[in-house]
């Protein structure tokens, strides 16, 4: 089953994994079809996942359809798949797949790590806000900064929106506790 680009990209060098698995299975006499390498007409979208790695019911139905079309010969392997994950990523428009929010060891600050394709970090900005004790506090708007301090001795929700050149790409909210 295909995983989301967020999941695959944060894991590192997917092409090495792909080439090792394909080579191994080919040596055993099996073909290998990697549905993570689907071209846009056959790709899963974020809305097809229930989390970063599991398809929801709509995703399962789409995948089943693509799978059947490939194995019944309605679509060729060359039409359905890129030859590598790098080729797939290079063909995409600039994209942020998701955001990793990492709390500092002192629990007083956090850093935003965008999981992205080839988009330059200088093209990414963030709106950052927290809500605690019924009060919403804006920490940044349209900022390129990736490190922020929590309001001291509070707990609540952290809200982050990420943008590429002003266009909204992702929104995330997570609970926090600052000491």
């Amino acid at each position: 089953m295909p995983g989301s680009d967020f999941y695959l990209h944060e894991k590192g060098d997917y092409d090495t994994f792909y080439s090792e698995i394909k080579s191994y299975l080919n040596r055993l006499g099996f073909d290998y079809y990697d549905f993570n390498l689907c071209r846009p007409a056959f790709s899963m979208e974020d809305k097809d996942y229930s989390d970063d790695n599991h398809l929801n019911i709509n995703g399962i139905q789409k995948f089943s359809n693509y799978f059947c079309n490939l194995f019944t010969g309605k679509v060729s392997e060359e039409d359905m798949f890129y030859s590598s994950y790098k080729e797939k990523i290079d063909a995409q428009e600039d994209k942020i797949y998701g955001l990793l929010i990492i709390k500092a060891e002192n629990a007083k600050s956090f850093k935003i790590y965008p999981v992205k394709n080839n988009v330059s970090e200088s093209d990414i900005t963030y709106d950052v806000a927290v809500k605690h004790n019924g009060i919403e506090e804006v920490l940044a708007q349209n900022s390129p900064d990736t490190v922020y301090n929590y309001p001291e001795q509070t707990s609540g929700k952290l809200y982050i929106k990420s943008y590429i050149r002003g266009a909204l790409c992702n929104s995330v909210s997570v609970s926090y506790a600052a000491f």
Side-chain angles (χ1 to χ4, degrees), residues 2-179:
S4 70
D5 283 324
F6 176 81
Y7 178 81
L8 296 175
H9 216 69
E10 75 169 335
K11 299 301 178 202
D13 184 7
Y14 188 77
D15 279 334
T16 298
F17 168 81
Y18 168 70
S19 64
E20 291 292 323
I21 293 293
K22 184 174 176 91
S23 175
Y24 174 75
L25 290 172
N26 287 165
R27 283 194 309 269
L28 295 175
F30 297 102
D31 292 326
Y32 179 63
Y33 303 96
D34 190 331
F35 284 82
N36 292 308
L37 303 182
C38 284
R39 294 184 183 278
F42 307 101
S43 287
M44 298 292 117
E45 301 171 68
D46 289 343
K47 68 182 181 181
D48 297 321
Y49 292 90
S50 58
D51 59 22
D52 68 351
N53 195 29
H54 298 93
L55 295 172
N56 61 28
I57 190 70
N58 293 328
I60 292 167
Q61 290 170 341
K62 281 175 74 172
F63 173 77
S64 297
N65 206 16
Y66 300 157
F67 184 89
C68 289
N69 285 340
L70 177 68
F71 287 100
T72 59
K74 291 180 182 175
V75 177
S76 72
E77 182 179 354
E78 293 76 26
D79 288 340
M80 185 172 281
F81 299 111
Y82 288 106
S83 62
S84 69
Y85 191 62
K86 181 180 181 341
E87 180 185 13
K88 176 183 174 180
I89 297 306
D90 288 346
Q92 292 175 343
E93 292 183 16
D94 289 346
K95 188 171 184 181
I96 299 171
Y97 304 118
L99 302 172
L100 296 175
I101 312 303
I102 308 298
K103 186 187 293 189
E105 285 185 33
N106 65 9
K108 293 182 180 186
S109 63
F110 62 93
K111 182 167 180 160
I112 304 168
Y113 292 93
V115 179
K116 60 187 185 58
N117 61 6
N118 298 321
V119 63
S120 170
E121 293 212 16
S122 65
D123 289 331
I124 301 172
T125 57
Y126 305 95
D127 291 345
V128 182
V130 295
K131 188 172 185 178
H132 56 90
N133 302 322
I135 301 166
E136 186 169 320
E137 185 177 340
V138 175
L139 302 181
Q141 285 187 306
N142 197 34
S143 173
D145 297 335
T146 57
V147 177
Y148 296 91
N149 292 319
Y150 295 111
E152 290 184 19
Q153 299 181 4
T154 63
S155 63
K157 280 279 201 188
L158 171 65
Y159 301 92
I160 301 172
K161 293 180 181 178
S162 64
Y163 302 84
I164 296 176
R165 294 180 289 283
L168 179 63
C169 291
N170 292 89
S171 297
V172 65
S173 65
V174 294
S175 298
Y176 80 92
F179 303 101

